Amino acid sequence: MKNMLVTGGCGFIGSNFIRYLLEETNYPGRVANVDQLTYAGNPENLSGIEKGSSGRYVFIKADICDQEIMAQIFDDYEIDSICHFAAESHVDRSIVSPDAFIQTNIVGTFNLLELARTHQERLQRFHHISTDEVFGSLGKEGFFTEETRYQPNSPYSASKAGSDHLVRAYHQTYGLPITISNCSNNYGPYQFPEKLIPLVILNAFEGKPLPVYGDGRHVRDWLYVRDHCTGIWTIMRHGKRGETYNIGGNNEMENITVVEMICDILDELHTGAENRSRRELITFVKDRPGHDRRYAIDSTKLRQELSWRPEESFESGLRKTIEWYLGHQAWVDRVKSGEYQSWIKEHYG
Ligand code: NAD
Ligand code: DAU
């Protein structure tokens, strides 16, 4: 792998992955980051990366659904590997307006697969980033394994399931060297504050209500984003072609517990302090339609076959994340005010 196409590299996980790849691994090649810069894409997530990577990084603003431009990029940068993050990623948005989810997540993935198929002679790896949400919802017991049947419940997870099936089919039918990873909920630096953890950190910091859906007893299995990135890179290098790997950190937590932990850490740090506990800001609100009750990932395959291990515990990762948001007020202000979008318009039209 010398010329890697990373899609969605200005989003939360994609930007963490590019930083990890270029700053922490001995990957010797180049990265072409293609991102459409939707509301979720922010080039500032990768500030400094161009300078630090001595010509090994290039950014191209483009839509993965645009066949012509993507074909040009494949040729111009002699793409030999793909790490595909680009997606509409927020479940709540998929409930209100699913169209973009179908376009980007299904049609966009199909478009990349077609390009990969027609450039197969030099393609080393097509790695597709997916989610545990494709498996649906668990009861009180059990875990998602790679054999769990797909049962997506939201337009978002259904669109991700559709793209997973296409990726798998391109291996079965055309022998494309694909791998797929299904990961649990990520948290960490650069996550857009529409998702639970950054939303609660910023609201709690500002003394605003902390919305908890339903009874707050829904369970998510949390993984620090850098641990997701090490898992992806492990699979890209050593994963067996045609295989799927679950990624997760055994950190099951009820939403209400996550929110309370954030309140307690912020209270302890005394930032912006009054003397009242931030737990008082917790507000139970109307539940999300079709809200999956519990996710829990079994990542034994990745741990046993490829010796992957997560490094961060939920407590240490959450504290790091809170400290990151408190230490990056300028980033937070630009994201919250929408100033980052004006900057994008000015620079990219
Ligand atoms: P994100 O919303 O933060 O970032 C998505 C990125 O994709 C943005 O930069 C956006 O501009 C870009 N994008 C969207 N549509 C595009 C298009 N048509 N063409 C080019 N770029 C486009 O998402 P994230 O949380 O970083 O998730 C990345 C991937 O990981 C997604 O595929 C998601 O399904 C998957 N995933 C996320 C999580 C999680 O907890 N966040 C967990 C498991 C899997
Ligand atoms: O499991 C992996 C998935 O995790 C990824 O595929 C998705 O891209 C990612 O967004 C995430 O999906 P969730 O729906 O689990 O994440 P979200 O942060 O939106 O919500 C986490 C839980 O918190 C969920 O049970 C809903 C709840 N919630 C969320 C928000 C935004 C609240 O109670 N209040 C909120 O304000």
Side-chain angles (χ1 to χ4, degrees):
M1 291 184 273
K2 288 197 188 115
N3 294 308
M4 191 189 299
L5 169 66
V6 175
T7 68
C10 293
F12 163 48
I13 307 175
S15 61
N16 275 281
F17 178 75
I18 291 175
R19 283 190 183 281
Y20 169 71
L21 188 69
L22 294 178
E23 291 172 353
E24 292 193 58
T25 74
N26 55 11
Y27 170 68
R30 298 187 297 179
V31 167
N33 172 16
V34 169
D35 196 302
Q36 194 191 4
L37 302 181
T38 67
Y39 78 94
N42 183 354
E44 199 181 332
N45 295 356
L46 284 165
S47 62
I49 201 82
E50 257 156 359
K51 268 194 197 145
S53 60
S54 26
R56 292 197 299 136
Y57 171 80
V58 61
F59 171 67
I60 307 120
K61 180 180 182 299
D63 180 350
I64 58 164
C65 300
D66 187 326
Q67 291 176 339
E68 224 171 282
I69 290 173
M70 291 310 297
Q72 189 70 50
I73 291 167
F74 251 74
D75 290 338
D76 287 353
Y77 297 97
E78 295 175 349
I79 298 303
D80 61 18
S81 45
I82 302 170
C83 189
H84 176 33
F85 294 93
E88 288 293 335
S89 68
H90 191 36
V91 174
D92 292 331
R93 286 180 192 256
S94 85
I95 294 166
V96 179
S97 38
D99 312 38
F101 288 74
I102 304 307
Q103 278 307 314
T104 291
N105 300 3
I106 301 181
V107 179
T109 302
F110 165 68
N111 193 26
L112 291 175
L113 286 165
E114 275 295 281
L115 282 167
R117 180 167 79 86
T118 49
H119 292 78
Q120 203 162 339
E121 68 295 339
R122 65 164 186 253
L123 198 81
Q124 306 285 318
R125 184 57 60 107
F126 185 118
H127 184 71
H128 177 62
I129 311 296
S130 192
T131 167
D132 59 359
E133 296 202 11
V134 296
F135 299 122
S137 187
L138 289 165
K140 284 207 168 76
E141 311 260 299
F143 295 88
F144 298 133
T145 72
E146 288 79 2
E147 273 70 52
T148 303
R149 78 175 168 139
Y150 275 36
Q151 204 173 18
N153 290 320
S154 71
Y156 162 69
S157 53
S159 68
K160 290 298 289 185
S163 64
D164 291 12
H165 290 320
L166 278 170
V167 174
R168 186 181 166 278
Y170 269 63
H171 172 72
Q172 296 293 331
T173 305
Y174 306 113
L176 214 67
I178 67 101
T179 37
I180 299 174
S181 49
N182 294 86
C183 189
S184 59
N185 284 63
N186 283 218
Y187 67 102
Y190 302 110
Q191 187 166 30
F192 193 80
E194 64 186 348
K195 308 282 166 60
L196 181 71
I197 288 186
L199 178 87
V200 168
I201 294 173
L202 298 184
N203 279 14
F205 182 60
E206 293 171 18
K208 291 184 181 160
L210 312 178
V212 174
Y213 297 166
D215 64 0
R217 303 263 174 224
H218 300 79
V219 173
R220 294 293 180 267
D221 188 350
W222 295 96
L223 185 70
Y224 190 64
V225 63
R226 187 179 176 281
D227 285 327
H228 187 183
C229 295
T230 63
I232 292 166
W233 187 226
T234 302
I235 297 166
M236 284 191 82
R237 282 174 308 152
H238 306 299
K240 245 172 87 185
R241 293 169 170 205
E243 293 282 316
T244 288
Y245 297 86
N246 280 354
I247 311 182
N250 285 340
N251 283 310
E252 274 186 68
M253 208 73 70
E254 287 185 344
N255 292 337
I256 187 67
T257 310
V258 172
V259 174
E260 287 172 353
M261 282 174 78
I262 294 171
C263 291
D264 295 349
I265 295 174
L266 276 169
D267 286 345
E268 181 199 314
L269 294 172
H270 290 300
T271 326
E274 307 104 45
N275 279 332
R276 290 163 54 199
S277 161
R278 284 177 170 84
R279 287 188 184 210
E280 289 175 31
L281 299 168
I282 293 172
T283 311
F284 289 92
V285 298
K286 193 163 170 279
D287 208 352
R288 171 189 280 175
H291 196 177
D292 288 334
R293 192 66 177 170
R294 175 174 167 255
Y295 301 149
I297 273 269
D298 180 346
S299 57
T300 307
K301 179 176 174 182
L302 180 58
R303 289 168 194 250
Q304 286 189 350
E305 291 183 13
L306 306 184
S307 304
W308 171 82
R309 295 277 176 283
E311 282 180 9
E312 217 66 60
S313 71
F314 187 63
E315 288 72 16
S316 64
L318 188 61
R319 192 169 281 273
K320 268 189 187 175
T321 304
I322 292 172
E323 282 166 356
W324 186 89
Y325 279 93
L326 297 185
H328 288 76
Q329 197 57 50
W331 181 92
V332 169
D333 289 344
R334 280 192 286 274
V335 167
K336 289 193 77 169
S337 66
E339 199 186 316
Y340 75 110
Q341 297 242 291
S342 320
W343 187 91
I344 288 168
K345 270 211 186 93
E346 206 178 290
H347 286 77
Y348 298 103

